[in-house]
Amino acid sequence: MTTLLAQGPDWISFDTTSFVQQFWSNTIDGLAYGAIYALIAMGYTLVYGVLRLINFAHSEVFIVGAYAVFFTLSALGFGSSAPGLSVGALVGDLALAMVAAMVVSGIVAVILERVAYRPLRRRGAPPLVFLITAIGASFTLQYLIFIWRGANPEQALIMFRPEPIFSVFGTDVDNQQITIIVAALLIMVIADVFINRTRLGRGLRAVAQDPDTATLMGVNKERVIMLTFLVGGILAGAASLFYVMKVPSGVQYNGGFILGIKAFAAAVLGGIGNIRGALLGGLLLGIIGNYGQTLLGSAQWTDVVAFVVLIVILMVRPTGILGESLGKARV
């Protein structure tokens, strides 16, 4: 005990000065990370809202999209240094990489639903079997990628060099942060409109609220479930582009594991099964993690602080901050 106390100042300290000085930079960078968490979290919350299933394999759906981004951009000539492209050409290449990631992640998500989960539904398997299957599917996909690409991360891909665009309270906001935050928010708004304003979205919410009644009213339940996995995969594919943009050397066979857990935590924080809750939870988790690492003086505290805050909030509000299920979401 004495040893632990003696070592205390070396492994934890409260650096309030740095926290105040870096408050706005941590906030802006946290929003960028949080936007990535939120996009992935929406996949978790959609599947849970419709099936009451925690799809732990969603993290591998995401990392497959990251590989699609890597191979697409590598084929277009991107490498360890920023290419000298015009703005129009760069936007076109990044859009192509995003579409490729969305398609690949969407296909993997649909295959996962058909192979792993649909047979269980037809046999009336209990929820625990679905949970175990999801964990097994996650490890299966992870190690299939390991066999294919090995343990080492892919080489770093630099899409463009971050350059300051404007300042907020003396803190520079660069083009990379703006791109991630604005594009991710736009995608999330489109997804929210799709779920709340379109016919397919209404069918999805109907199945989430009462699958038996929805079926009697002519809604194809299996088609809606497939659509749910497809949309979740598409959102994960979009997130993978921003992830590779933010973490150029992050494409690795197990690279989605921790990020997937944090995205799931974001979904729970905002209210699992709530689309807008996933957005709020992701942004909050990104900001809180950045605050924690600065206040406690080390990046190793990022995830610890974020999860401690999650636990505290759930103790006060077990259903999450918004706490409204997909089936009961307001139109």
Side-chain angles (χ1 to χ4, degrees), residues 150-182:
N152 296 325
E154 305 295 339
Q155 71 169 22
L157 280 183
I158 307 298
M159 301 180 193
F160 55 89
R161 197 176 303 279
E163 297 179 356
I165 302 299
F166 59 87
S167 294
V168 176
F169 297 103
T171 299
D172 288 336
V173 181
D174 62 51
N175 52 355
Q176 184 187 82
Q177 294 167 330
I178 294 172
T179 300
I180 293 173
I181 294 171
V182 172

Side-chain angles (χ1 to χ4, degrees), residues 189-208:
V189 168
I190 292 172
D192 185 77
V193 170
F194 170 77
I195 295 209
N196 288 299
R197 302 298 181 195
T198 66
R199 181 181 178 186
L200 290 174
R202 286 193 293 271
L204 190 151
R205 288 185 290 119
V207 172

Side-chain angles (χ1 to χ4, degrees), residues 69-97 155-161 241 244-245 248:
V69 169
F70 173 80
F71 287 120
T72 301
L73 292 181
S74 295
L76 293 172
F78 287 74
S80 56
S81 59
L85 298 175
S86 65
V87 174
L90 179 62
V91 170
D93 286 352
L94 296 186
L96 180 61
Q155 71 169 22
L157 280 183
I158 307 298
M159 301 180 193
F160 55 89
R161 197 176 303 279
L241 174 70
V244 177
M245 186 182 297

Side-chain angles (χ1 to χ4, degrees), residues 4-169:
L4 286 174
L5 291 173
Q7 291 177 348
D10 295 330
W11 64 273
I12 184 171
S13 62
F14 289 94
D15 191 350
T16 54
T17 302
S18 295
F19 176 77
V20 173
Q21 291 175 345
Q22 300 178 37
F23 178 81
W24 287 109
S25 61
N26 281 334
T27 301
I28 295 165
D29 207 45
L31 286 173
Y33 279 110
I36 298 172
Y37 300 155
L39 280 173
I40 305 172
M42 289 179 76
Y44 282 106
T45 211
L46 278 171
V47 172
Y48 181 83
V50 172
L51 292 177
R52 294 298 184 268
L53 165 67
I54 301 172
N55 180 24
F56 282 114
H58 190 61
S59 57
E60 277 58 55
V61 172
F62 158 77
I63 205 63
V64 167
Y67 274 95
V69 169
F70 173 80
F71 287 120
T72 301
L73 292 181
S74 295
L76 293 172
F78 287 74
S80 56
S81 59
L85 298 175
S86 65
V87 174
L90 179 62
V91 170
D93 286 352
L94 296 186
L96 180 61
M98 178 182 284
V99 170
M102 286 177 166
V103 170
V104 171
S105 290
I107 290 173
V108 170
V110 170
I111 292 174
L112 177 68
E113 187 275 327
R114 284 182 173 271
V115 173
Y117 302 134
R118 183 173 293 190
L120 297 179
R121 288 201 309 277
R122 288 178 175 172
R123 289 171 174 80
L128 182 60
V129 174
F130 279 92
L131 180 63
I132 295 171
T133 301
I135 296 172
S138 174
F139 281 106
T140 299
L141 288 172
Q142 189 175 127
Y143 283 96
L144 283 175
I145 299 172
F146 171 79
I147 293 170
W148 174 43
R149 299 300 299 173
N152 296 325
E154 305 295 339
Q155 71 169 22
L157 280 183
I158 307 298
M159 301 180 193
F160 55 89
R161 197 176 303 279
E163 297 179 356
I165 302 299
F166 59 87
S167 294
V168 176
F169 297 103

